[in-house]
Amino acid sequence: QVQLVESGGGLVQPGGSLRLSCAASTSMFSRNVMGYYRQAPGKERELVAIINGGDLTTYSDSVKGRFTISRDNTKNTVYLQMNSLKPEDTALYLCYGRTFREYWGQGTQVTVSS
């Protein structure tokens, strides 16, 4: 059974940083897309950042210049470095993987508040 397990969420003050990790239980994503979406209460799920098998990255406009996605295929893990966090970044962050179908993690909560 394929699993995506997120870690690294928490409470941080505005302007602070967090690094999320998503570990896959399989190496099948190493040549495919992995990334993060987020969902805030009362809002639709939205793309944050994705990285493909060739390490090409895509970011939402709202996080460009502040967030960086990377991957370590030796650990089957994708990382999201989040800097200059804002209260509007508060959401449940969900790891995403795609081969011939989509896979989702359970999510890790990120709360940005003073």
Side-chain angles (χ1 to χ4, degrees), residues 2-3 5 11-12 15 24 30 41-42 48 51-52 54 56 66-67 70 73 81 86 92 97 103 108-109 114:
V2 176
Q3 287 187 312
V5 180
L11 173 64
V12 64
S30 62
V48 177
I51 183 168
N52 73 6
L56 273 172
R66 300 188 297 124
F67 291 12
S70 61
N73 287 335
Q81 178 66 44
K86 305 175 182 179
L92 183 69
Y103 298 85
T108 185
Q109 179 67 35
S114 55

Side-chain angles (χ1 to χ4, degrees), residues 42-112:
K43 293 189 177 180
E44 293 188 355
R45 188 174 295 184
E46 63 172 355
L47 170 74
V48 177
I50 56 174
I51 183 168
N52 73 6
D55 288 344
L56 273 172
T57 57
T58 301
Y59 296 92
S60 71
D61 287 342
S62 62
V63 307
K64 253 179 217 175
R66 300 188 297 124
F67 291 12
T68 303
I69 190 168
S70 61
R71 66 194 301 165
D72 184 343
N73 287 335
T74 65
K75 297 180 180 179
N76 300 325
T77 299
V78 63
Y79 303 97
L80 185 68
Q81 178 66 44
M82 306 186 293
N83 298 328
S84 302
L85 282 160
K86 305 175 182 179
E88 50 264 42
D89 294 318
T90 295
L92 183 69
Y93 283 69
L94 298 136
C95 184
Y96 168 82
R98 187 178 76 224
T99 57
F100 59 91
R101 53 156 286 189
E102 296 180 336
Y103 298 85
W104 295 92
Q106 295 289 327
T108 185
Q109 179 67 35
V110 171
T111 302
V112 184

